[in-house]
Amino acid sequence: MSALFATIYAIVKRVPRGRIVSYGGVARLAGLRGGARTVGWALASTPRGEKVPWWRVLRGDGTVAPRPFADEQRRRLRAEGVRFDRRGVVDLRRYGWPSAESAGRRTSRRPPTQVRNAAAPHTPADTSTVT
């Protein structure tokens, strides 16, 4: 298992019962810019025996992704108390994890791996030999 997938699994394992997170939300928490698809691939590749609550990860609009286990995902979420509206959408403000307040605090700081180098633009190292 790759370190990246292990990080994704660790984040998804922290999602409490009865709460949901989006693929993009997991990607942000993992420090992956635009990594929602990577989160999907990781969850689809979860090794047997790895207890990852994959059903707690939804699309950013609060819907279940159409896939072979969509009905199972809805069943598990309902069993945890998550409610869908008549269009099949979960209210992210109500069931989202982390809460909107803590998500704002967490995503306002970039993880160390994403800190941009504030150094001056690249210049040749040795300008004394230029004639």
Side-chain angles (χ1 to χ4, degrees), residues 9 12 31 53 58 63 69 74 77 79 105 113 115 118-119 126 128 131:
Y9 300 149
V12 174
L58 300 178
T63 60
F69 301 106
R74 284 186 200 90
L77 287 171
R105 283 195 304 268
T113 57
V115 174
D126 182 17
S128 63
T131 55

Side-chain angles (χ1 to χ4, degrees), residues 2-15:
S2 75
L4 175 58
F5 280 20
T7 299
I8 291 168
Y9 300 149
I11 291 167
V12 174
K13 286 178 181 180
R14 290 181 13 221
V15 179

Side-chain angles (χ1 to χ4, degrees), residues 51-66:
K51 296 183 189 238
V52 178
W54 55 269
W55 59 91
R56 296 179 185 152
V57 183
L58 300 178
R59 292 170 147 180
D61 64 358
T63 60
V64 171

Side-chain angles (χ1 to χ4, degrees), residues 29-114:
L29 291 170
L32 295 170
R33 187 177 188 153
R37 284 193 176 139
T38 302
V39 172
W41 293 329
L43 293 177
S45 304
T46 304
R48 283 189 193 268
E50 188 77 30
K51 296 183 189 238
V52 178
W54 55 269
W55 59 91
R56 296 179 185 152
V57 183
L58 300 178
R59 292 170 147 180
D61 64 358
T63 60
V64 171
R67 58 179 183 206
F69 301 106
D71 290 337
E72 175 68 12
Q73 185 173 18
R74 284 186 200 90
R75 187 191 65 72
R76 287 179 183 225
L77 287 171
R78 285 185 181 116
E80 291 184 358
V82 174
R83 299 291 165 235
F84 292 82
D85 69 12
R86 59 188 140 101
R87 296 171 298 138
V89 178
V90 173
D91 183 349
L92 296 172
R93 289 172 296 182
R94 180 173 180 186
Y95 296 104
W97 176 89
S99 68
E101 302 162 6
S102 63
R105 283 195 304 268
R106 287 179 188 211
T107 58
S108 64
R109 294 185 205 136
R110 289 185 180 167
T113 57
Q114 288 189 337

